[in-house]
Amino acid sequence: MARTGITPSQARRESKRARRERAAEILARLRREFPRTRIALDFQSPLQLLMATVLAAQCTDQKVNEVTPPLFRRYPAARDFAADLAELEEMVRQTGFYRNKARALKNLGMTLVAEHGGEVPDAMEPLVALPGVGRKTANVVLGNAFGRNEGIAVDTHVQRLSRRFFLTEEEDPEKIERDLVALLPREEWTRFALLLQDHGRKTCKARKPECAVCPVADLCPSAEI
């Protein structure tokens, strides 16, 4: 197989400016490839997205979207999640680790009522202060429910693809996020994460990336066709 475009050794030596330009071109091509990109989780409010994101840990978005409609009908407000734990466990059982997740949802609901009047805060600091909420979840909620680009949500797709693209060589999600935000315009942070998720699901798969049909193969040091 012949390698095309930039090599890993060239990527490691490229200047910050060259890396920003390559990241910008990756972004532009993925925007053309996925013009209607959107978060895969279904939600109608910041509360729903927050709870759905908690349920999505080690679970597919498709399965979460099957579970959440009856869940949100049963518990429409934050105060409603302070419910019978056994009932809540049963409602989220299909998402896996359901006991921990049910407890997390209940604690979140109670904390939102006690500290935020039942509303999901729209800033990073109070969000990550909520029980069980880290930067990734906070970035998902801020970017997709509030339209605020405070960072980049680094999930498994973003972690894998940003390393394959040699936009970072870090493994820690927060360090990866720092590298990515330095390369991309702030207004694109949320969109970039969604585009990498789309690309990771469709083409740049974990076990067998389809480099021959990849629209950014010539920009990817890991690509072979």
Side-chain angles (χ1 to χ4, degrees), residues 34-46 48-54 56 60-62 64-65 136-147 153 155 157 190-198 201:
F34 305 102
R36 296 183 178 87
T37 188
R38 63 175 296 277
I39 190 168
L41 294 171
D42 295 335
F43 71 99
Q44 295 181 338
S45 69
Q48 289 187 1
L49 181 55
L50 175 61
M51 298 309 194
T53 305
V54 170
T60 66
D61 293 336
Q62 180 180 358
V64 172
N65 288 339
K136 183 186 79 171
T137 296
N139 279 325
V140 168
V141 173
L142 289 171
N144 294 280
F146 293 108
D155 68 353
H157 292 293
T190 297
R191 190 198 313 269
F192 188 69
L194 298 177
L195 290 170
L196 291 192
Q197 291 161 12
D198 286 342
R201 294 185 184 104

Side-chain angles (χ1 to χ4, degrees), residues 9-178:
S9 60
Q10 289 171 334
R12 290 189 179 97
R13 297 195 306 270
E14 72 182 339
S15 67
K16 291 181 179 179
R17 178 179 177 179
R19 185 163 293 183
R20 281 196 297 268
E21 290 174 350
R22 188 163 59 86
E25 182 61 21
I26 290 171
L27 169 65
R29 293 191 195 180
L30 292 180
R31 286 190 66 168
R32 291 194 293 270
E33 184 77 4
F34 305 102
R36 296 183 178 87
T37 188
R38 63 175 296 277
I39 190 168
L41 294 171
D42 295 335
F43 71 99
Q44 295 181 338
S45 69
L47 176 66
Q48 289 187 1
L49 181 55
L50 175 61
M51 298 309 194
T53 305
V54 170
L55 293 177
Q58 297 180 284
C59 181
T60 66
D61 293 336
Q62 180 180 358
K63 178 56 67 177
V64 172
N65 288 339
E66 293 173 5
V67 167
T68 50
L71 179 74
F72 295 151
R73 285 195 297 270
R74 180 69 180 86
Y75 309 114
R79 64 179 179 274
D80 299 315
F81 281 90
D84 178 71
L85 191 58
E87 179 185 20
L88 191 52
E89 287 176 352
E90 190 59 33
M91 294 204 74
V92 303
R93 178 183 291 270
Q94 295 180 63
T95 66
F97 303 96
Y98 64 94
R99 289 192 175 91
N100 289 340
K101 289 180 179 180
R103 191 175 300 110
L105 297 189
K106 182 169 184 174
N107 288 341
L108 268 175
M110 294 170 64
T111 303
L112 287 173
V113 170
E115 299 180 6
H116 300 284
E119 299 297 321
V120 177
D122 63 353
M124 178 65 72
E125 186 174 352
L127 269 174
V128 296
L130 295 172
V133 175
R135 277 195 65 89
K136 183 186 79 171
T137 296
N139 279 325
V140 168
V141 173
L142 289 171
N144 294 280
F146 293 108
R148 299 188 59 175
N149 287 289
E150 297 296 328
I152 293 176
V154 179
D155 68 353
T156 55
H157 292 293
V158 175
Q159 184 177 38
R160 184 177 77 252
L161 270 65
S162 61
R163 285 174 55 80
R164 282 182 176 173
F165 290 151
F166 277 69
L167 299 180
T168 182
E169 293 187 69
E170 300 289 351
E171 295 184 2
D172 177 75
E174 291 195 15
K175 293 180 179 178
I176 291 173
E177 182 185 1
R178 284 199 293 269

Side-chain angles (χ1 to χ4, degrees), residues 170-189:
E170 300 289 351
E171 295 184 2
D172 177 75
E174 291 195 15
K175 293 180 179 178
I176 291 173
E177 182 185 1
R178 284 199 293 269
D179 284 349
L180 293 179
V181 299
L183 297 174
L184 297 153
R186 188 185 188 103
E187 64 269 19
E188 298 290 352
W189 289 350

